[in-house]
Structures are given as structure tokens and as C-alpha cells.
PDB file of all heavy atoms in Angstrom:
ATOM      1  N   CYS A   1     292.866 183.079 103.946  1.00  0.00           N
ATOM      2  CA  CYS A   1     292.726 183.757 105.191  1.00  0.00           C
ATOM      3  C   CYS A   1     291.651 183.080 106.010  1.00  0.00           C
ATOM      4  O   CYS A   1     291.747 182.965 107.297  1.00  0.00           O
ATOM      5  CB  CYS A   1     292.313 185.250 104.946  1.00  0.00           C
ATOM      6  SG  CYS A   1     293.646 186.285 104.289  1.00  0.00           S
ATOM      7  N   MET A   2     290.572 182.678 105.366  1.00  0.00           N
ATOM      8  CA  MET A   2     289.512 181.966 106.096  1.00  0.00           C
ATOM      9  C   MET A   2     289.986 180.629 106.702  1.00  0.00           C
ATOM     10  O   MET A   2     289.654 180.212 107.839  1.00  0.00           O
ATOM     11  CB  MET A   2     288.314 181.704 105.122  1.00  0.00           C
ATOM     12  CG  MET A   2     287.192 180.822 105.766  1.00  0.00           C
ATOM     13  SD  MET A   2     286.550 181.477 107.350  1.00  0.00           S
ATOM     14  CE  MET A   2     285.539 182.855 106.783  1.00  0.00           C
ATOM     15  N   GLY A   3     290.828 179.944 105.891  1.00  0.00           N
ATOM     16  CA  GLY A   3     291.463 178.649 106.287  1.00  0.00           C
ATOM     17  C   GLY A   3     292.379 178.907 107.597  1.00  0.00           C
ATOM     18  O   GLY A   3     292.228 178.067 108.583  1.00  0.00           O
ATOM     19  N   SER A   4     293.158 180.052 107.575  1.00  0.00           N
ATOM     20  CA  SER A   4     293.983 180.340 108.730  1.00  0.00           C
ATOM     21  C   SER A   4     293.017 180.657 109.985  1.00  0.00           C
ATOM     22  O   SER A   4     293.358 180.294 111.145  1.00  0.00           O
ATOM     23  CB  SER A   4     294.865 181.628 108.427  1.00  0.00           C
ATOM     24  OG  SER A   4     295.697 181.330 107.430  1.00  0.00           O
ATOM     25  N   ALA A   5     291.898 181.346 109.732  1.00  0.00           N
ATOM     26  CA  ALA A   5     291.001 181.641 110.747  1.00  0.00           C
ATOM     27  C   ALA A   5     290.419 180.361 111.432  1.00  0.00           C
ATOM     28  O   ALA A   5     290.251 180.165 112.638  1.00  0.00           O
ATOM     29  CB  ALA A   5     289.870 182.519 110.345  1.00  0.00           C
ATOM     30  N   MET A   6     290.068 179.398 110.485  1.00  0.00           N
ATOM     31  CA  MET A   6     289.583 178.129 111.019  1.00  0.00           C
ATOM     32  C   MET A   6     290.616 177.404 111.802  1.00  0.00           C
ATOM     33  O   MET A   6     290.252 176.872 112.937  1.00  0.00           O
ATOM     34  CB  MET A   6     289.249 177.230 109.799  1.00  0.00           C
ATOM     35  CG  MET A   6     288.061 177.662 108.963  1.00  0.00           C
ATOM     36  SD  MET A   6     287.742 176.636 107.538  1.00  0.00           S
ATOM     37  CE  MET A   6     286.377 177.399 106.846  1.00  0.00           C
ATOM     38  N   PHE A   7     291.861 177.318 111.450  1.00  0.00           N
ATOM     39  CA  PHE A   7     292.832 176.712 112.234  1.00  0.00           C
ATOM     40  C   PHE A   7     293.099 177.418 113.540  1.00  0.00           C
ATOM     41  O   PHE A   7     293.452 176.887 114.656  1.00  0.00           O
ATOM     42  CB  PHE A   7     294.155 176.441 111.432  1.00  0.00           C
ATOM     43  CG  PHE A   7     294.154 175.264 110.547  1.00  0.00           C
ATOM     44  CD1 PHE A   7     293.924 175.379 109.216  1.00  0.00           C
ATOM     45  CD2 PHE A   7     294.132 174.006 111.112  1.00  0.00           C
ATOM     46  CE1 PHE A   7     293.968 174.270 108.440  1.00  0.00           C
ATOM     47  CE2 PHE A   7     294.104 172.913 110.367  1.00  0.00           C
ATOM     48  CZ  PHE A   7     294.008 173.028 108.974  1.00  0.00           C
ATOM     49  N   GLY A   8     292.907 178.781 113.514  1.00  0.00           N
ATOM     50  CA  GLY A   8     293.128 179.629 114.656  1.00  0.00           C
ATOM     51  C   GLY A   8     291.937 179.162 115.719  1.00  0.00           C
ATOM     52  O   GLY A   8     292.243 179.158 116.875  1.00  0.00           O
ATOM     53  N   ALA A   9     290.768 178.973 115.226  1.00  0.00           N
ATOM     54  CA  ALA A   9     289.709 178.562 116.060  1.00  0.00           C
ATOM     55  C   ALA A   9     289.916 177.182 116.610  1.00  0.00           C
ATOM     56  O   ALA A   9     289.535 176.970 117.771  1.00  0.00           O
ATOM     57  CB  ALA A   9     288.349 178.556 115.228  1.00  0.00           C
ATOM     58  N   VAL A  10     290.565 176.345 115.878  1.00  0.00           N
ATOM     59  CA  VAL A  10     290.796 174.930 116.365  1.00  0.00           C
ATOM     60  C   VAL A  10     291.904 175.145 117.457  1.00  0.00           C
ATOM     61  O   VAL A  10     291.982 174.374 118.446  1.00  0.00           O
ATOM     62  CB  VAL A  10     291.313 174.029 115.266  1.00  0.00           C
ATOM     63  CG1 VAL A  10     291.758 172.650 115.789  1.00  0.00           C
ATOM     64  CG2 VAL A  10     290.168 173.852 114.289  1.00  0.00           C
ATOM     65  N   ALA A  11     292.930 175.968 117.257  1.00  0.00           N
ATOM     66  CA  ALA A  11     293.983 176.235 118.229  1.00  0.00           C
ATOM     67  C   ALA A  11     293.367 176.599 119.613  1.00  0.00           C
ATOM     68  O   ALA A  11     293.827 176.280 120.671  1.00  0.00           O
ATOM     69  CB  ALA A  11     294.942 177.184 117.751  1.00  0.00           C
ATOM     70  N   ALA A  12     292.352 177.509 119.512  1.00  0.00           N
ATOM     71  CA  ALA A  12     291.602 177.949 120.727  1.00  0.00           C
ATOM     72  C   ALA A  12     290.869 176.910 121.367  1.00  0.00           C
ATOM     73  O   ALA A  12     290.797 176.828 122.638  1.00  0.00           O
ATOM     74  CB  ALA A  12     290.741 179.172 120.331  1.00  0.00           C
ATOM     75  N   GLY A  13     290.309 176.028 120.569  1.00  0.00           N
ATOM     76  CA  GLY A  13     289.505 174.870 121.129  1.00  0.00           C
ATOM     77  C   GLY A  13     288.175 175.357 121.525  1.00  0.00           C
ATOM     78  O   GLY A  13     287.839 176.596 121.675  1.00  0.00           O
ATOM     79  N   ARG A  14     287.286 174.418 121.864  1.00  0.00           N
ATOM     80  CA  ARG A  14     285.880 174.736 122.217  1.00  0.00           C
ATOM     81  C   ARG A  14     285.892 175.606 123.569  1.00  0.00           C
ATOM     82  O   ARG A  14     285.047 176.456 123.686  1.00  0.00           O
ATOM     83  CB  ARG A  14     285.054 173.460 122.313  1.00  0.00           C
ATOM     84  CG  ARG A  14     283.562 173.675 122.599  1.00  0.00           C
ATOM     85  CD  ARG A  14     282.777 172.433 122.437  1.00  0.00           C
ATOM     86  NE  ARG A  14     282.850 171.986 121.055  1.00  0.00           N
ATOM     87  CZ  ARG A  14     282.118 172.412 120.008  1.00  0.00           C
ATOM     88  NH1 ARG A  14     281.287 173.389 120.234  1.00  0.00           N
ATOM     89  NH2 ARG A  14     282.285 171.931 118.833  1.00  0.00           N
ATOM     90  N   LYS A  15     286.803 175.195 124.470  1.00  0.00           N
ATOM     91  CA  LYS A  15     286.835 175.930 125.755  1.00  0.00           C
ATOM     92  C   LYS A  15     287.263 177.507 125.537  1.00  0.00           C
ATOM     93  O   LYS A  15     286.873 178.304 126.343  1.00  0.00           O
ATOM     94  CB  LYS A  15     287.805 175.248 126.648  1.00  0.00           C
ATOM     95  CG  LYS A  15     287.370 173.916 127.192  1.00  0.00           C
ATOM     96  CD  LYS A  15     288.391 173.325 128.100  1.00  0.00           C
ATOM     97  CE  LYS A  15     287.908 171.933 128.636  1.00  0.00           C
ATOM     98  NZ  LYS A  15     288.898 171.359 129.608  1.00  0.00           N
ATOM     99  N   GLY A  16     287.929 177.659 124.523  1.00  0.00           N
ATOM    100  CA  GLY A  16     288.413 179.066 124.186  1.00  0.00           C
ATOM    101  C   GLY A  16     287.499 179.742 123.158  1.00  0.00           C
ATOM    102  O   GLY A  16     287.889 180.856 122.676  1.00  0.00           O
ATOM    103  N   GLY A  17     286.346 179.238 122.901  1.00  0.00           N
ATOM    104  CA  GLY A  17     285.370 179.818 122.068  1.00  0.00           C
ATOM    105  C   GLY A  17     285.497 179.338 120.628  1.00  0.00           C
ATOM    106  O   GLY A  17     284.807 179.835 119.730  1.00  0.00           O
ATOM    107  N   GLY A  18     286.345 178.298 120.378  1.00  0.00           N
ATOM    108  CA  GLY A  18     286.556 177.844 118.986  1.00  0.00           C
ATOM    109  C   GLY A  18     286.005 176.409 118.802  1.00  0.00           C
ATOM    110  O   GLY A  18     284.909 176.129 119.270  1.00  0.00           O
ATOM    111  N   TYR A  19     286.770 175.640 118.167  1.00  0.00           N
ATOM    112  CA  TYR A  19     286.289 174.270 117.797  1.00  0.00           C
ATOM    113  C   TYR A  19     287.348 173.284 118.125  1.00  0.00           C
ATOM    114  O   TYR A  19     288.613 173.567 118.198  1.00  0.00           O
ATOM    115  CB  TYR A  19     285.961 174.200 116.334  1.00  0.00           C
ATOM    116  CG  TYR A  19     284.731 175.203 115.998  1.00  0.00           C
ATOM    117  CD1 TYR A  19     285.166 176.423 115.495  1.00  0.00           C
ATOM    118  CD2 TYR A  19     283.547 174.942 116.238  1.00  0.00           C
ATOM    119  CE1 TYR A  19     284.204 177.404 115.164  1.00  0.00           C
ATOM    120  CE2 TYR A  19     282.486 175.851 115.959  1.00  0.00           C
ATOM    121  CZ  TYR A  19     282.881 177.099 115.400  1.00  0.00           C
ATOM    122  OH  TYR A  19     281.916 178.044 115.111  1.00  0.00           O
ATOM    123  N   ASP A  20     287.108 171.976 118.421  1.00  0.00           N
ATOM    124  CA  ASP A  20     288.028 171.030 118.761  1.00  0.00           C
ATOM    125  C   ASP A  20     288.718 170.307 117.579  1.00  0.00           C
ATOM    126  O   ASP A  20     289.698 169.778 117.716  1.00  0.00           O
ATOM    127  CB  ASP A  20     287.431 169.934 119.731  1.00  0.00           C
ATOM    128  CG  ASP A  20     287.175 170.546 121.049  1.00  0.00           C
ATOM    129  OD1 ASP A  20     287.787 171.540 121.626  1.00  0.00           O
ATOM    130  OD2 ASP A  20     286.171 169.968 121.740  1.00  0.00           O
ATOM    131  N   THR A  21     288.062 170.404 116.358  1.00  0.00           N
ATOM    132  CA  THR A  21     288.612 169.752 115.211  1.00  0.00           C
ATOM    133  C   THR A  21     288.360 170.633 113.988  1.00  0.00           C
ATOM    134  O   THR A  21     287.548 171.489 113.987  1.00  0.00           O
ATOM    135  CB  THR A  21     287.891 168.365 114.979  1.00  0.00           C
ATOM    136  OG1 THR A  21     286.556 168.632 114.616  1.00  0.00           O
ATOM    137  CG2 THR A  21     287.938 167.423 116.163  1.00  0.00           C
ATOM    138  N   ILE A  22     289.219 170.427 113.046  1.00  0.00           N
ATOM    139  CA  ILE A  22     289.053 171.280 111.818  1.00  0.00           C
ATOM    140  C   ILE A  22     287.840 170.991 111.102  1.00  0.00           C
ATOM    141  O   ILE A  22     287.197 171.891 110.532  1.00  0.00           O
ATOM    142  CB  ILE A  22     290.329 171.035 110.892  1.00  0.00           C
ATOM    143  CG1 ILE A  22     290.306 172.101 109.790  1.00  0.00           C
ATOM    144  CG2 ILE A  22     290.330 169.640 110.367  1.00  0.00           C
ATOM    145  CD1 ILE A  22     290.388 173.529 110.134  1.00  0.00           C
ATOM    146  N   GLU A  23     287.313 169.633 111.251  1.00  0.00           N
ATOM    147  CA  GLU A  23     286.000 169.388 110.535  1.00  0.00           C
ATOM    148  C   GLU A  23     284.877 170.150 111.207  1.00  0.00           C
ATOM    149  O   GLU A  23     284.032 170.681 110.483  1.00  0.00           O
ATOM    150  CB  GLU A  23     285.732 167.863 110.769  1.00  0.00           C
ATOM    151  CG  GLU A  23     286.555 167.007 109.820  1.00  0.00           C
ATOM    152  CD  GLU A  23     288.003 166.705 110.457  1.00  0.00           C
ATOM    153  OE1 GLU A  23     288.231 167.144 111.695  1.00  0.00           O
ATOM    154  OE2 GLU A  23     288.722 165.993 109.801  1.00  0.00           O
ATOM    155  N   GLU A  24     284.939 170.332 112.496  1.00  0.00           N
ATOM    156  CA  GLU A  24     283.905 171.205 113.174  1.00  0.00           C
ATOM    157  C   GLU A  24     284.003 172.672 112.691  1.00  0.00           C
ATOM    158  O   GLU A  24     282.982 173.300 112.474  1.00  0.00           O
ATOM    159  CB  GLU A  24     283.986 171.118 114.636  1.00  0.00           C
ATOM    160  CG  GLU A  24     283.692 169.764 115.285  1.00  0.00           C
ATOM    161  CD  GLU A  24     283.996 169.804 116.669  1.00  0.00           C
ATOM    162  OE1 GLU A  24     284.391 170.734 117.389  1.00  0.00           O
ATOM    163  OE2 GLU A  24     283.796 168.625 117.369  1.00  0.00           O
ATOM    164  N   ALA A  25     285.246 173.094 112.601  1.00  0.00           N
ATOM    165  CA  ALA A  25     285.427 174.549 112.134  1.00  0.00           C
ATOM    166  C   ALA A  25     284.953 174.746 110.725  1.00  0.00           C
ATOM    167  O   ALA A  25     284.341 175.732 110.406  1.00  0.00           O
ATOM    168  CB  ALA A  25     286.891 174.909 112.276  1.00  0.00           C
TER     169      ALA A  25
END
């Protein structure tokens, strides 16, 4: 579930409050 959340954050991107790469997440 945490892995899914990480990829969700990458999908949102930094502009959307997430991260631009999975490494950053």
C-alpha cells in the first residue's frame, strides 16, 4: 500500500504536491 501511495505521489508530481521521481518519493 505504501508503494502504491509513492507512485500516486509521483503521478501527482511536485506541482501537485507530490514528487517528480520514485527515488524522491
Side-chain angles (χ1 to χ4, degrees):
C1 288
M2 175 57 75
S4 297
M6 290 177 181
F7 278 107
V10 174
R14 188 168 296 278
K15 291 182 179 179
Y19 303 95
D20 289 334
T21 68
I22 188 62
E23 288 82 1
E24 291 176 3

